[in-house]
Amino acid sequence: MKSENIQPALKDVFKDDFYIGTALSLNQISGNEPDAVALVEKHFNSITPENILKWEEVHPEPDKYNFEPADRYVALGEKNKMHIIGHNLVWHNQTPEWVFQDESGKPLDREGLLKRMKEHILAVVGRYKGRIHGWDVVNEAILSDGQFRKNKWFEIIGEDYLVNAFEFARRADPDAELYYNDYNMWKPPQYEGVIRLIKDLQSKGVKIDGLGIQGHWALDYPPLDEIETAIKALSTLGVKLMITELDVCVIPFADHYHNLIDLSSLEPEMQKKLSPYPDALPDSVQKELAERYAELFSLFLKHNIRRVTFWAVHDGQSWRSYMPIRGRTDYPMLFDRNYKPKPAFDAVVKTILRSMPNGKNKK
Ligand code: GLA
């Protein structure tokens, strides 16, 4: 306990550089995990809800909104004077099927879906007007080849679904910051596609305040210089850049498993391969994780990054251990399953000492 008390707070360490954020689970928002909330209140000055504002959670049925968890989430942020993020309004995942259908189950037409999108955005953003400070308006619209993802929004409304989503959000809360958020942003065709998209939206009079680079990365993926090249390219847009969903996976990526499966359903050899550290993280990997976090934070400090948000408070919360394979044990965060800071925490804190003091507050 003693050593924990002398840990500096991350939000103080980076106060002149960027907001330090974290994603909150429903459990944490509901007050069922006080140890995690204590870490959040000590170290972070920005929060994002991991799931509770996604369409299927906040608006599960046509006439039913479930605002209670989001009310608690916003109250927690306000109590701590945090920079509160809404995530997300328009996405292809975690959106119920009914959204795209009429009462008889037939696909909606363009007007029908636009009406639905408008109602949803006005209701959700409107409820937290002036209280949620920034919204991920559209999530993951561009594919890694730079083309539009052919999701239902695109198929039914057309590519101007993004124009509409941003306009509805702007109307619902003219003062909130509005963001586009995506992964694979370090891949050249992807960020070039995003740059084209943002320029196109801007040319149509849509004001976009920021871009979220998700940051679901690994020990050696993506290469640091490729992340830097992408940050430089995206900086040319003149909008705020944020690392929105940072975690560093230390076990093999398993993206080829498209359906959720249980680790225990695989052969023992395969289990060992896909979840090599079921009991503890070996010191050597702990060190690699610390080095990786240090190089990432040194890079963030070098560029004009507005916010860095971790996609979990601690290892035990991270989706990496249950998606796409349930029952693995990953160690992607700065805090371990016992809420203790890992060597990666110290490594991140040290990056500030090594960075050139620039004396300006970038936030
Ligand atoms: C995407 C979404 C997040 C989360 C992660 C992991 O990155 O933006 O909300 O769902 O996938 O599941």
Side-chain angles (χ1 to χ4, degrees):
M1 279 317 266
K2 219 169 169 196
S3 64
E4 203 173 302
N5 289 336
I6 57 167
Q7 296 292 343
L10 288 176
K11 65 181 177 193
D12 297 336
V13 172
F14 295 103
K15 69 178 186 325
D16 292 333
D17 297 284
F18 32 71
Y19 287 114
I20 284 282
T22 186
L24 296 188
S25 69
L26 173 60
N27 216 21
Q28 293 159 356
I29 292 162
S30 310
N32 298 330
E33 209 192 338
D35 288 344
V37 173
L39 283 184
V40 174
E41 294 187 329
K42 168 163 179 181
H43 289 285
F44 299 92
N45 52 16
S46 177
I47 50 175
T48 302
E50 202 179 336
N51 286 303
I52 53 125
L53 276 171
K54 290 175 180 170
W55 195 309
E56 68 178 9
E57 299 288 331
V58 74
H59 192 179
E61 290 166 33
D63 297 316
K64 187 175 159 217
Y65 284 91
N66 176 24
F67 284 126
E68 211 243 285
D71 289 352
R72 293 179 76 117
Y73 162 76
V74 173
L76 175 72
E78 287 183 333
K79 182 181 136 215
N80 292 286
K81 301 192 170 41
M82 289 164 162
H83 180 61
I84 305 173
I85 306 301
H87 172 84
N88 56 55
L89 297 169
V90 173
W91 191 26
H92 62 282
N93 265 336
Q94 294 183 259
T95 305
E97 273 305 303
W98 64 259
V99 173
F100 307 102
Q101 297 168 351
D102 65 17
E103 297 75 34
S104 57
K106 293 212 198 69
L108 276 182
D109 60 9
R110 174 182 155 92
E111 289 317 310
L113 187 55
L114 277 173
K115 183 163 174 274
R116 194 150 268 169
M117 179 201 266
K118 181 177 170 189
E119 277 168 4
H120 177 82
I121 293 180
L122 293 187
V124 178
V125 177
R127 183 175 178 95
Y128 302 107
K129 183 169 187 253
R131 301 178 68 204
I132 286 188
H133 306 113
W135 279 97
D136 290 335
V137 178
V138 177
N139 205 28
E140 305 176 349
I142 300 291
L143 294 169
S144 56
D145 63 2
Q147 300 303 308
F148 278 103
R149 183 186 296 277
K150 307 295 180 294
N151 60 21
K152 294 227 171 77
W153 299 106
F154 181 91
E155 278 169 2
I156 298 175
I157 298 176
E159 68 175 69
D160 65 338
Y161 83 86
L162 288 110
V163 175
N164 286 283
F166 277 92
E167 280 180 355
F168 296 146
R170 185 65 72 201
R171 198 181 305 171
D173 187 350
D175 296 327
E177 292 189 346
L178 304 183
Y179 314 131
Y180 175 75
N181 189 51
D182 213 334
Y183 65 103
N184 278 340
M185 291 279 258
W186 58 279
K187 293 187 176 172
Q190 166 98 18
Y191 67 68
E192 282 157 13
V194 170
I195 290 173
R196 273 197 306 277
L197 167 71
I198 302 301
K199 285 192 170 157
D200 181 57
L201 289 170
Q202 289 171 333
S203 76
K204 292 177 173 139
V206 177
K207 186 171 164 280
I208 301 214
D209 300 288
L211 274 184
I213 300 169
Q214 288 187 4
H216 296 297
W217 295 330
L219 289 177
D220 53 3
Y221 164 99
L224 196 71
D225 58 334
E226 297 189 30
I227 302 176
E228 177 157 38
T229 306
I231 289 176
K232 283 185 184 158
L234 292 165
S235 302
T236 61
L237 285 167
V239 301
K240 291 166 180 154
L241 292 188
M242 297 152 307
I243 309 296
T244 50
E245 302 183 19
L246 183 60
D247 49 26
V248 176
C249 192
V250 304
I251 60 178
F253 266 9
D255 287 359
H256 47 288
Y257 288 95
H258 292 300
N259 296 316
L260 276 181
I261 55 156
D262 286 318
L263 186 67
S264 59
S265 68
L266 300 171
E267 293 297 322
E269 275 295 283
M270 199 46 136
Q271 292 189 27
K272 183 89 197 100
K273 194 168 163 229
L274 290 172
S275 188
Y277 320 118
D279 303 318
L281 192 60
D283 288 348
S284 59
V285 189
Q286 194 78 267
K287 190 160 167 270
E288 277 182 72
L289 181 70
E291 286 164 4
R292 176 63 162 165
Y293 263 115
E295 67 174 23
L296 287 171
F297 269 74
S298 300
L299 181 68
F300 302 156
L301 286 167
K302 203 168 136 193
H303 294 279
N304 203 354
I305 300 293
R306 206 293 183 91
R307 164 167 59 92
V308 178
T309 290
F310 291 89
W311 203 244
V313 180
H314 58 91
D315 286 341
Q317 177 195 347
S318 169
W319 69 295
R320 296 296 207 168
S321 295
Y322 60 84
M323 266 176 79
I325 302 176
R326 283 196 209 95
R328 297 204 294 169
T329 310
D330 204 344
Y331 303 81
M333 314 314 302
L334 300 188
F335 297 96
D336 69 17
R337 287 171 169 75
N338 296 314
Y339 311 102
K340 297 279 181 285
K342 294 154 66 175
F345 175 96
D346 300 319
V348 161
V349 169
K350 280 193 195 126
T351 58
I352 197 83
L353 304 173
R354 283 194 232 109
S355 81
M356 295 283 288
N358 58 18
K360 74 175 196 303
N361 188 327
K362 290 192 254 174
K363 286 197 291 200

